[in-house]
Amino acid sequence: MELSKPFPLRKLPTLMFRKVLSYLPPHELILLAQCSKITKSFVRAYYPRKLSMTMSFSHFEIQIFEDGQCYEYSATSPDPFRHPTVYCRYPTEESVKRTLELMDTFYNTLGATLAMIKLYSLGEVDVSIIIDRVHRNQPELQRLKWKVVQVSESTKHCILEKLKLRELIIEFSKWFKLSDLLSLSSTCAKFALERSTWTGEDLNALLKEWVKGRLPNLSFFWIESQRFDEETAKNGLELLDSNLLPVGQSSGNSSGM
Amino acid sequence: MSVEPEVPIVQVEEVRENPVLYKIISSDNHVFTISEHAVKLSKTLWDLITNLGLTAENALDNPIPVENVNGKNMETIVQFCERHKYDEEEPEYTNYIREFVLPEWDRQLLSIDNEELFQLILATNYLDIQKLMDYCCRVIGDMAKDKTPEELRIIYGIPTDAEDDALERSASDSPGPSG
C-alpha cells in the first residue's frame, strides 16, 4: 500500500494553522511543539486561546483551564503529556523540580499564565525556589494558598513581597501577624487567614487601618481565630450590620468582611 | 416499542429547493451547477455573484470562472455546499468546541490523501467557506491524536532542527533577486 505524503502543516495559511491549533488539547500542542524549535515558535505565536493554570504542590500537578475546560497533568508522571494521570513517587525535591519544569513548558509553549499556587507542607527552601521560578515568568499572581505551620521572618518576607498577590489564603496562619498584613504590598484584594492567633485587638487595629485607607485594594477579609470576641473587634468603629459577618463555630470564631 | 416514521427527506428538499442555479467553471474547465442556497456558503462566490448582478434569469448564461480551484476540489466543494445548504447557522462558539465530532458523511468526503486535502483547504480558504474550513482543520487536527513528536514530524512533514538549519543556510546562500 502506498503511504500518503505528509500533510504540510507549517505551510497552511495562518488562519487555518490557528484553527488547527485551536482544536488540539494542551498536551497535543506541547507534543507538536516538541517536533522542532521552529514548530514551537509557530505554536507559541499562533495558538489563539488564552490558558490559565494552577499549580499544586500537594499532588504535584498542574491544571490547565481553557474556556471552562480543565486538563490535569501529573508532574510525577514519567511522560505527563502522553500519560497525564500516571503518578509516581519521587523525593519532594525532585517532584518540585518536575512541577516547575511542567509549569515552564506550558508557559513557554502556550503562554499559559499561572493563576494559583497551592503550597502545601513544603520546606522553606522549596517554597523560595518555587516563588523565584514563578516570578521569572510573571510578577503577579491571582491567588496563593499557603499551608505552613511555621516560617522564618526572612522567608516570610521573601515569599510575600516577591509576587504581587491578588488573593492570599493562609492555612495554619498562627505565624502571620497583623504587622505582616500591614507591611504587605497594597495590591492584595482578598485575604483569608485560617487558624490564626489574632486577638480582638488585632482585628480591631486592622479594621481601623483599613478604614483609614491603609489597604486601598483590600475588598475582602476573612479570619478564623479562637482568641477574639466581636465586641473588642468592633470597638470604636461604626459598623453597618452587613459589614462584619461573624460565623460562630464550636472551636472558634471566624469573621468575613 | 415505537417505530420512527420514515422522513421524506427528498420531498422536503424539493419543496425547499430554490430554482435559481449558477454555473461555475474550474481552473481546468470543468463546469459545475450549484444552487443559490449552496453557493451562499462561499462568501467569495456570493460576493462575486452579487457584484456581477447575476439573477435567476441570466445566471446559467453567465458561468463564473474560478481560476484558483481545479475540478476535483470544486466537485468536493459543490457536494459539501449542497449537503449543508440548509444547515442552521451555528453560533460562533461551536467552532471552538473541541469535543465536536465530525459527521460521518463529511468524514467520508474528507477522507482523501494529504496532498489533495492541502489543495482543498487552500481552495476553501480562497472561496471563504467557513464550515468546510472548520471541518478540514478538524480532520488535520485529528491526525495528531495519541501521537509522539516523532510520529507527528512524519505526519505533518516537519523538518528536524538540523534540517531547518540546513534549509535556512541554503536559502541564505542562494543568490537574491539581483543576482
Side-chain angles (χ1 to χ4, degrees):
Chain A
M1 193 180 111
E2 195 186 336
L3 284 174
S4 179
K5 280 187 180 172
F7 184 87
L9 182 70
R10 280 178 15 185
K11 291 183 181 163
L12 278 176
T14 307
L15 175 68
M16 309 289 169
F17 188 69
R18 287 168 72 95
K19 262 185 198 292
V20 172
L21 295 186
S22 77
Y23 295 146
L24 302 181
H27 50 277
E28 284 178 2
L29 289 160
I30 299 288
L31 293 167
L32 178 64
Q34 287 174 355
C35 288
S36 73
K37 285 181 198 163
I38 290 181
T39 309
K40 182 181 172 182
S41 66
F42 276 29
V43 171
R44 181 77 166 92
Y46 296 119
Y47 182 59
R49 294 174 189 257
K50 270 195 147 185
L51 300 181
S52 66
M53 60 180 154
T54 66
M55 185 161 60
S56 165
F57 288 91
S58 56
H59 299 103
F60 300 104
E61 68 180 12
I62 281 186
Q63 290 180 318
I64 299 284
F65 295 91
E66 167 229 82
D67 296 339
Q69 276 185 299
C70 173
Y71 299 85
E72 291 186 351
Y73 300 96
S74 164
T76 60
S77 165
D79 188 353
F81 304 117
R82 299 200 67 221
H83 306 289
T85 55
V86 174
Y87 297 86
C88 297
R89 215 174 224 299
Y90 293 102
T92 304
E93 193 185 340
E94 176 65 16
S95 298
V96 168
K97 189 174 152 238
R98 295 175 75 97
T99 311
L100 291 173
E101 282 170 0
L102 200 56
M103 172 195 75
D104 280 345
T105 304
F106 282 116
Y107 176 80
N108 292 330
T109 311
L110 303 177
T113 52
L114 191 61
M116 178 169 72
I117 311 175
K118 290 181 189 173
L119 295 175
Y120 284 178
S121 310
L122 290 174
E124 291 190 19
V125 174
D126 287 328
V127 170
S128 298
I129 290 170
I130 291 163
I131 297 298
D132 275 346
R133 277 284 281 277
V134 171
H135 185 259
R136 252 194 258 169
N137 294 345
Q138 57 186 73
E140 283 187 38
L141 183 69
Q142 180 62 33
R143 184 185 289 177
L144 174 64
K145 284 182 95 171
W146 192 6
K147 184 171 169 182
V148 59
V149 177
Q150 211 171 352
V151 64
S152 70
E153 283 297 309
S154 59
T155 303
K156 179 169 40 177
H157 289 287
C158 165
I159 305 309
L160 298 177
E161 286 167 14
K162 188 113 193 173
L163 289 171
K164 281 185 183 172
L165 301 168
R166 303 291 299 156
E167 293 176 36
L168 175 62
I169 300 157
I170 302 178
E171 297 177 34
F172 297 106
S173 63
K174 283 182 182 174
W175 53 271
F176 193 85
K177 309 289 181 228
L178 171 63
S179 55
D180 296 325
L181 197 154
L182 294 175
S183 69
L184 263 180
S185 99
S186 59
T187 55
C188 212
K190 289 186 183 178
F191 267 103
L193 302 176
E194 295 178 12
R195 303 192 196 194
S196 83
T197 52
W198 280 31
T199 61
E201 284 82 10
D202 289 331
L203 181 58
N204 184 258
L206 168 76
L207 294 175
K208 284 178 177 167
E209 291 295 334
W210 194 0
V211 168
K212 271 195 255 172
R214 177 88 179 258
L215 299 154
N217 290 316
L218 186 64
S219 61
F220 178 86
F221 182 77
W222 188 95
I223 186 164
E224 177 195 13
S225 173
Q226 294 185 328
R227 297 179 59 190
F228 62 70
D229 63 89
E230 202 183 322
E231 286 312 309
T232 316
K234 288 199 285 191
N235 186 29
L237 290 162
E238 197 180 318
L239 293 173
L240 298 172
D241 287 346
S242 56
N243 278 130
L244 187 64
L245 303 169
V247 184
Q249 292 178 340
S250 57
S251 59
N253 284 321
S254 60
S255 290
M257 289 195 74
Chain B
M1 197 178 93
S2 67
V3 179
E4 285 191 19
E6 281 185 26
V7 181
I9 296 169
V10 176
Q11 285 175 27
V12 170
E13 292 237 339
E14 278 170 2
V15 170
R16 293 169 71 183
E17 184 60 84
N18 191 311
V20 182
L21 297 170
Y22 296 89
K23 268 188 183 166
I24 297 168
I25 305 178
S26 65
S27 61
D28 45 0
N29 293 320
H30 288 87
V31 181
F32 297 87
T33 306
I34 186 167
S35 66
E36 185 171 37
H37 277 105
V39 83
K40 278 181 176 175
L41 293 186
S42 162
K43 191 170 180 308
T44 306
L45 287 176
W46 186 243
D47 283 351
L48 204 59
I49 287 166
T50 314
N51 292 335
L52 290 172
L54 297 184
T55 60
E57 289 73 37
N58 65 8
L60 286 173
D61 299 331
N62 292 283
I64 305 159
V66 181
E67 290 175 3
N68 293 9
V69 183
N70 66 24
K72 197 167 187 180
N73 287 329
M74 191 59 87
E75 188 180 352
T76 308
I77 286 166
V78 169
Q79 278 185 52
F80 181 89
C81 291
E82 291 292 349
R83 175 81 179 188
H84 291 283
K85 63 186 171 185
Y86 294 132
D87 287 1
E88 280 180 28
E89 206 167 306
E90 288 165 353
E92 204 174 322
Y93 67 82
T94 313
N95 295 337
Y96 290 95
I97 297 173
R98 198 169 274 145
E99 282 67 31
F100 172 85
V101 178
L102 211 57
E104 187 51 34
W105 186 91
D106 299 279
R107 190 165 287 285
Q108 288 289 330
L109 184 75
L110 299 176
S111 293
I112 49 184
D113 76 35
N114 288 336
E115 214 172 331
E116 283 178 49
L117 184 61
F118 185 70
Q119 293 306 323
L120 177 66
I121 202 166
L122 294 183
T124 307
N125 187 33
Y126 171 69
L127 294 175
D128 198 355
I129 306 169
Q130 202 58 45
K131 193 166 201 155
L132 185 52
M133 272 194 254
D134 289 342
Y135 283 16
C136 287
C137 289
R138 281 189 186 276
V139 169
I140 298 162
D142 284 351
M143 296 174 186
K145 272 202 168 73
D146 302 323
K147 300 294 189 300
T148 64
E150 291 71 29
E151 289 167 330
L152 290 172
R153 207 179 283 131
I154 294 166
I155 290 165
Y156 291 135
I158 297 171
T160 60
D161 287 338
E163 287 165 343
D164 273 331
D165 289 345
L167 281 170
E168 199 180 330
R169 269 197 305 276
S170 67
S172 60
D173 290 346
S174 62
S178 59

